[in-house]
Amino acid sequence: MFRLLAAGRFLFALVLSVYCLVASQPAGAADGPPKRELRGVWIATVENIDWPSSRSLTPEQQRREYRRMLDDHQRSGINALFVQVRPASDAFYQSSLEPWSKWLTGQQGKAPTPYYDPLPFLIEEAHNRGMEFHAWFNPYRATMDTVTRRLAPTHPYRQHPEWFLRYSGKLLYNPGLPEVRQYISEVILDVVRRYDIDGVHFDDYFYPYPEAGQVIHDEDAFARFNPDNLKLADWRRQNVNTLIQELHGTIHQTKRWVKFGISPFGVWRNQSTDPNGSATKAFQGYDGLYADALEWLRQGWVDYVLPQLYWSTGFRVAQYPVLVEWWARNGNGRHLYIGHGAYRMSESTKSDTVWRNPRELPRQVRLNRTFPTEVSGSVFFSSKSLMANVLHTTDSLRQHEFRYPALVPTMPWLDAVPPRPAQNLTVTTEAGANTLAWQPGPVAADGDQAAYYALYRFADDQTPTPDDPRNLLTVFRPQSGRRLAFTDTTARPGRAYAYYLTAFDRLHNESRPISVRTTGRAAEVVVAQTAPPESVPSPNTTPAPSPAPPARPTPRPPVSRPTTTVNTPTKVKVKTKPRRRGLLERIFGRR
């Protein structure tokens, strides 16, 4: 035991030293900004926390408010939204299974007036800004109170009161009932099938947070549905695990590109309870919520895990650096995003005063980047806290940590086949702007077409490589009725540029680049040669499955910085296409 405690103290000192070193440097001091990094924000709808701000807003007011919110987050570099579409067995979308949410229309079961289905709008606005849309479900919470007379006739409690538990003034679904698991899966798969979401997301609410004097009365289900004769705590964890395992499989069978991720409580177990736990002294999600996040990672039942590390560096019972290191060591090959408590900066609590330091949140982001192969990004709770720019922290993110755009990381266990490059790329130079146009490439070996494109621009004195986001000019997502074209209005007249264009599929695999170069002369058309055929797997080939994760957490490998790789572009022949002198040329002349 003495050796364990000594090792824990040494580990914390080491991690804290690294944290202090990173915190003292400006973002990107050691390396360039990351090209791939998930930067997300939670948008909570329960109790109108983030959106809509009031139950009385009209649909048009709701849409305007949402657009303003997303425009603000786009300026902050956000590339993923986690939007709460089912806060309490209700719906922010048209559903035949559950009633409209009262936080949307003011009354549960009442449709928006004038009618619209918000979810397609929410998704489209996110996609138009290059953001992923993760539909956030609370699986087990059914109400925020126990006043059942206010429930809509279509609320599941009306048909199946035996499915529910009463606990601490709320109605909760009983996780021990097989019919409950089946119903929850049906609700989620309904959304997966009908809407163009990018991910299914759960928060930390599984079994309820313990409260003094409260008892979970699931004795009947425990007696009826426990064929393995497990102890009560193990049985409850098994109930949660079964739902997670089944959903992971059925989501990917329905749409293979839809991710499944969970945001567990930040502490799995303390080291004093379990040698595999973290050097913390906090509430334990494994024991208190019956949520075994480590098992989900070991078994590969989630595509990402997003622990809620809402504590600062100086919080003694759960130090941020210690927990980041622990989760990084236990990711087991799945994506790890860190949940940041941006809302903590607005609190007046005396228990964690480090949050009053405007440098705390940016430094946490920088610490994450010291684990470049283990930590894949950050997500902030919640939207209004980031928009409020408390302590000018959002300004800091915009000017430093998130100054340059980032692309969403890939998930090779879901899809490792890149799309084919675009075709017929041309650039037309006119006074004050360069316009690029292209056509989609053929379908890839796995049947995928390009979901969006990235356009990089390089000056004549730069070595072109699409590995540096500082050269990322725009991310372009096709829209119905809109041609594949982009006008670069920031190009300086008379200056030569190289443009690289790459295609991305739904899971963010990037094609080989195709490129064109301008000469700096006005009114020219430059055409890139069509990319030559590439060696691709046969249509029946699928990515090799990931190896089975180990039964126990493996020691964390030494942290290493990724080496810069040069993504060789498609070799093209560039030619200047002669043309007749037009009106603009006759007015402005040829350079």
Side-chain angles (χ1 to χ4, degrees):
M1 179 61 73
F2 174 80
R3 275 187 255 178
L4 265 178
L5 292 173
R9 285 194 293 267
F10 172 77
L11 177 63
F12 174 62
L14 178 63
V15 173
L16 190 57
S17 298
V18 172
Y19 175 85
C20 293
L21 177 63
V22 172
S24 66
Q25 298 178 355
D31 295 315
K35 174 179 174 176
R36 291 188 183 266
E37 181 178 65
L38 187 126
R39 301 169 182 172
V41 62
W42 277 289
I43 298 178
T45 59
V46 63
E47 302 289 359
N48 301 103
I49 291 176
D50 290 313
W51 181 87
S53 60
S54 168
R55 306 180 192 185
S56 61
L57 296 185
T58 66
E60 182 54 36
Q61 289 172 328
Q62 293 170 1
R63 289 189 286 264
R64 285 202 302 266
E65 185 175 71
Y66 185 75
R67 289 190 186 105
R68 286 195 299 267
M69 182 188 306
L70 265 57
D71 288 343
D72 190 274
H73 291 319
Q74 188 176 32
R75 289 190 290 271
S76 300
I78 296 300
N79 60 22
L81 305 179
F82 298 78
V83 182
Q84 194 173 30
V85 301
R86 183 189 187 252
S89 196
D90 51 0
F92 272 72
Y93 56 92
Q94 174 61 53
S95 173
S96 61
L97 300 172
E98 297 189 314
W100 288 101
S101 176
K102 66 180 180 182
W103 294 298
L104 179 71
T105 65
Q107 178 182 338
Q108 190 178 88
K110 179 184 176 183
T113 305
Y115 178 83
Y116 85 119
D117 185 346
L119 192 48
F121 164 78
L122 301 178
I123 296 169
E124 183 179 7
E125 291 295 323
H127 286 171
N128 288 347
R129 292 165 177 79
M131 300 173 180
E132 279 197 331
F133 188 97
H134 293 245
W136 166 14
F137 298 82
N138 188 291
Y140 295 124
R141 185 169 60 205
T143 66
M144 295 295 288
D145 55 43
T146 56
V147 185
T148 57
R149 69 176 181 274
R150 289 202 291 254
L151 297 178
T154 54
H155 191 283
Y157 179 83
R158 297 294 194 189
Q159 288 77 40
H160 298 283
E162 72 279 6
W163 285 1
F164 298 87
L165 303 169
R166 292 176 183 265
Y167 186 89
S168 188
K170 297 180 179 66
L171 286 178
L172 307 171
Y173 282 93
N174 187 342
L177 298 178
E179 53 267 40
V180 162
R181 292 195 295 270
Q182 181 179 350
Y183 173 75
I184 292 172
S185 295
E186 184 180 355
V187 168
I188 292 166
L189 292 175
D190 174 57
V191 173
V192 173
R193 292 188 191 100
R194 294 193 294 123
Y195 297 97
D196 192 26
I197 63 173
D198 299 293
V200 169
H201 179 72
F202 283 0
D203 54 26
D204 55 320
Y205 290 99
F206 291 97
Y207 278 85
Y209 277 85
E211 294 194 22
Q214 298 290 317
V215 177
I216 302 173
H217 288 293
D218 55 357
E219 300 90 349
D220 180 66
F222 179 58
R224 293 166 55 207
F225 302 108
N226 186 15
D228 299 326
N229 293 315
L230 298 174
K231 294 181 179 179
L232 179 61
D234 293 330
W235 174 76
R236 288 174 175 169
R237 275 185 290 272
Q238 184 186 67
N239 294 331
V240 175
N241 289 348
T242 300
L243 177 67
I244 301 305
Q245 181 184 9
E246 292 175 350
L247 268 175
H248 179 260
T250 54
I251 288 170
H252 294 322
Q253 288 169 12
T254 305
K255 286 182 180 175
R256 62 183 177 83
W257 61 86
V258 175
K259 306 169 181 179
F260 180 41
I262 299 177
S263 179
F265 184 76
V267 174
W268 174 71
R269 296 191 96 184
N270 298 314
Q271 200 173 72
S272 58
T273 304
D274 189 316
N276 292 318
S278 52
T280 51
K281 299 177 181 178
F283 176 82
Q284 304 172 119
Y286 176 93
D287 301 276
L289 303 176
Y290 307 99
D292 191 355
L294 202 56
E295 181 70 5
W296 309 335
L297 289 166
R298 287 168 174 162
Q299 299 295 339
W301 293 336
V302 291
D303 299 308
Y304 66 84
V305 67
L306 207 176
Q308 298 174 22
L309 306 190
Y310 293 167
W311 306 286
S312 74
T313 315
F315 193 58
R316 292 186 178 182
V317 300
Q319 299 98 336
Y320 182 86
V322 168
L323 284 166
V324 170
E325 193 279 337
W326 185 89
W327 284 100
R329 180 160 37 90
N330 288 284
N332 277 284
R334 291 300 189 248
H335 279 187
L336 168 62
Y337 314 133
I338 302 299
H340 298 268
Y343 72 97
R344 300 295 305 276
M345 296 182 295
S346 301
E347 292 183 337
S348 58
T349 177
K350 297 181 180 179
S351 63
D352 199 355
T353 57
V354 178
W355 279 112
R356 299 174 190 171
N357 185 337
R359 298 180 180 181
E360 176 64 16
L361 192 62
R363 286 174 177 176
Q364 290 186 2
V365 173
R366 295 178 191 179
L367 176 63
N368 296 350
R369 292 176 178 172
T370 66
F371 300 87
T373 60
E374 296 97 344
V375 179
S376 299
S378 299
V379 181
F380 303 93
F381 189 87
S382 66
S383 175
K384 71 177 184 181
S385 299
L386 208 60
M387 292 176 66
N389 195 18
V390 182
L391 305 176
H392 297 283
T393 295
T394 306
D395 287 340
S396 178
L397 293 175
R398 291 178 178 180
Q399 296 167 13
H400 301 290
E401 290 75 25
F402 295 167
R403 178 180 177 183
Y404 298 102
L407 301 171
V408 176
T410 60
M411 289 185 172
W413 60 90
L414 294 181
D415 181 7
V417 179
R420 302 291 297 276
Q423 295 181 332
N424 302 325
L425 174 65
T426 64
V427 57
T428 302
T429 64
E430 301 286 356
N434 295 339
T435 299
L436 296 102
W438 63 94
Q439 293 176 347
V443 174
D446 60 355
D448 284 352
Q449 290 183 314
Y452 65 97
Y453 300 87
L455 185 64
Y456 305 83
R457 189 185 70 188
F458 306 89
D460 203 33
D461 58 350
Q462 289 181 294
T463 301
T465 169
D467 289 334
D468 191 336
R470 287 173 288 197
N471 294 106
L472 182 58
L473 184 61
T474 188
V475 172
F476 183 95
R477 184 176 287 267
Q479 296 181 30
S480 178
R482 176 183 174 190
R483 74 185 185 117
L484 297 178
F486 176 79
T487 300
D488 177 12
T489 58
T490 61
R492 296 175 59 182
R495 187 168 185 179
Y497 293 101
Y499 291 96
Y500 277 37
L501 180 73
T502 59
F504 292 78
D505 60 21
R506 286 295 297 259
L507 283 161
H508 311 289
N509 295 297
E510 186 174 23
S511 75
R512 292 181 295 119
I514 184 168
S515 67
V516 291
R517 290 178 180 270
T518 66
T519 64
R521 291 178 294 178
E524 68 175 355
V525 178
V526 185
V527 183
Q529 180 181 333
T530 302
E534 57 185 317
S535 175
V536 295
S538 64
N540 295 326
T541 301
T542 57
S546 302
R552 308 291 284 180
T554 55
R556 177 176 175 268
V559 173
S560 59
R561 295 278 181 183
T563 56
T564 301
T565 58
V566 178
N567 194 356
T568 305
T570 301
K571 293 183 179 180
V572 299
K573 293 181 180 179
V574 180
K575 62 180 180 179
T576 301
K577 184 178 179 180
R579 60 174 184 157
R580 297 178 181 177
R581 290 165 57 88
L583 176 63
L584 291 176
E585 184 177 328
R586 291 197 299 271
I587 295 174
F588 297 103
R590 179 183 290 277
R591 293 183 181 272

